[in-house]
Amino acid sequence: MRKLWTVLALILWFVAPTLAHEEAENGHHHEPHHWEDTLVRRELVMQMVGMGILGGMIGAYMASRRVTR
Amino acid sequence: MLRSLCALVKLSFLEAVRRQILHVMVLLSLAVIALAGAVSFFELGVQVKIVKDTGIVMILLAGSLSVVFLMSGSLFHDIEQRTLYPVLARPIPRGLYLLARYLGALGAVYAGLSLIALTLIVLLWVHLHYVSTLAVIAIAFTYLEVALVGALALLLSTFFTPAMTTTITLFLYLLGSIKMGYLHHVTERNEGMMRWIITAVSAVLPNMEAFRFKDALVHDLSVPSGYMVLVAVYGIFYSTLCLAVSIWNFNRREV
């Protein structure tokens, strides 16, 4: 029962800002859709490059440890 | 190797297809979409928009919740009920087992989602007498988002118990869904250490909103094909990364 309350509390905590954001979007201010936003494209590419580099570095480190062992 | 993978995927699929959570989510979604299509309070244009909106939301909701609940418990129960040991006693790599678990459960969720998607397409056909390519694209990207959520749940299930995995996955899913709108504003309004922390969290979180083309479908807007390719590559890349880390963690774990 305690776990259920924790889950519900967490969901509510995160739904509140989402709803607030939705309400703000319903105003007159028009934000570009994500496919129109160049910042979103750049962020997606940057995230992939960053994770690729990090993954490569960790992979290389693990491989070198295996070789030296 | 391929034969073992196929056999394990089949077993995992059959097990997932029998789970009640999947049946409930699919039936509930079908009922909601059928209701949205049948109730005619509005003009035809508005009604079609409501059907499109409800359809895509229900596919996403049913898919995400089912995949989280199916993935979060599968590995834990296999270890608890000791069904994992006879499999691992054979010359089957642990990574292959985990991959089969993922593909089987995802296949079961996709089978359920296909029923919902088919209902949505039939309803659009009944109302408009044609189905736009964007409807198929929006559904396909929703499938990809579900695959990503599943990979995330599988990754977390190699670290935590089912309850924790479900909670953290839903938590990350919500954060990923508000990343572009909410988190970016929060980052701009904070300074110093807090800004760095939010930026770091933002850099790791998957961007769930990027997979959603519901607005384009509802308002008949065009989406550049280059952007769709980028999002598809992003989804596949992120899911593969999650699978790779989960295999790595499962390999080093004592079972």
Side-chain angles (χ1 to χ4, degrees):
Chain A
M1 200 63 187
R2 236 174 65 188
K3 274 178 190 163
L4 182 71
W5 284 116
T6 318
V7 173
L8 282 176
L10 274 170
I11 289 172
L12 277 177
W13 184 34
F14 275 88
V15 161
T18 317
L19 291 178
H21 175 64
E22 287 254 327
E23 203 160 300
E25 266 191 350
N26 287 336
H28 296 294
H29 174 65
H30 170 71
E31 280 189 15
H33 294 288
H34 59 85
W35 56 88
E36 297 166 344
D37 200 342
T38 47
L39 271 176
V40 176
R41 286 173 193 231
R42 207 168 62 192
E43 196 201 276
L44 291 179
V45 173
M46 289 299 285
Q47 204 178 6
M48 279 194 282
V49 170
M51 285 191 176
I53 292 171
L54 196 69
M57 279 165 67
I58 294 170
Y61 171 71
M62 303 285 285
S64 72
R65 260 185 63 184
R66 196 171 289 177
V67 167
T68 49
R69 209 181 267 177
Chain B
M1 192 77 94
L2 195 67
R3 266 183 66 187
S4 316
L5 179 72
C6 289
L8 285 170
V9 168
K10 191 182 163 192
L11 271 177
S12 177
F13 175 83
L14 289 174
E15 194 190 307
V17 139
R18 291 190 195 111
R19 293 283 297 273
Q20 268 187 352
I21 176 85
L22 190 63
H23 304 166
V24 170
M25 290 311 298
V26 170
L27 286 175
L28 198 72
S29 305
L30 284 174
V32 171
I33 295 176
L35 200 72
V39 175
S40 53
F41 284 136
F42 310 100
E43 296 166 28
L44 181 63
V46 181
Q47 173 110 32
V48 169
K49 280 182 182 180
I50 290 172
V51 169
K52 287 175 179 173
D53 203 333
T54 317
I56 296 292
V57 166
M58 288 321 289
I59 293 174
L60 182 62
L61 196 71
S64 307
L65 288 179
S66 314
V67 87
V68 168
F69 283 106
L70 286 180
M71 294 285 181
S72 58
S74 62
L75 192 64
F76 184 81
H77 293 305
D78 279 358
I79 297 170
E80 283 285 295
Q81 291 165 358
R82 300 176 187 278
T83 47
L84 177 73
Y85 302 112
V87 180
L88 292 187
R90 292 164 183 271
I92 293 170
R94 285 187 182 191
L96 195 77
Y97 173 78
L98 212 61
L99 185 69
R101 267 273 169 222
Y102 174 71
L103 293 177
L106 197 65
V109 173
Y110 277 179
L113 291 189
S114 298
L115 278 176
I116 309 171
L118 202 68
T119 312
L120 174 64
I121 287 171
V122 167
L123 275 175
L124 288 179
W125 182 266
V126 167
H127 284 296
L128 297 171
H129 303 293
Y130 75 92
V131 179
S132 66
T133 326
L134 205 57
V136 180
I137 290 169
I139 292 169
F141 275 95
T142 312
Y143 274 44
L144 191 59
E145 187 177 347
V146 170
L148 174 54
V149 179
L152 199 63
L154 187 75
L155 165 65
L156 293 169
S157 76
T158 60
F159 288 93
F160 306 108
T161 57
M164 279 291 280
T165 303
T166 309
T167 312
I168 298 171
T169 312
L170 289 176
F171 180 82
L172 291 177
Y173 179 62
L174 277 172
L175 269 183
S177 300
I178 57 170
K179 188 181 171 183
M180 285 194 296
Y182 182 68
L183 278 188
H184 283 184
H185 291 299
V186 173
T187 315
E188 283 164 15
R189 282 174 199 171
N190 278 282
E191 283 181 2
M193 191 66 180
M194 201 60 201
R195 188 176 182 144
W196 279 104
I197 292 169
I198 299 168
T199 310
V201 170
S202 230
V204 183
L205 270 180
N207 194 335
M208 297 296 185
E209 260 179 296
F211 297 93
R212 294 174 196 166
F213 296 106
K214 181 170 65 77
D215 285 356
L217 173 66
V218 171
H219 302 292
D220 291 319
L221 306 170
S222 64
V223 181
S225 52
Y227 181 76
M228 287 194 280
V229 172
L230 175 67
V231 175
V233 170
Y234 175 77
I236 295 166
F237 178 83
Y238 209 108
S239 307
T240 313
L241 200 76
C242 287
L243 282 174
V245 178
S246 52
I247 289 170
W248 166 77
N249 188 41
F250 189 50
N251 272 330
R252 57 179 274 279
R253 220 175 111 170
E254 292 261 341
V255 283

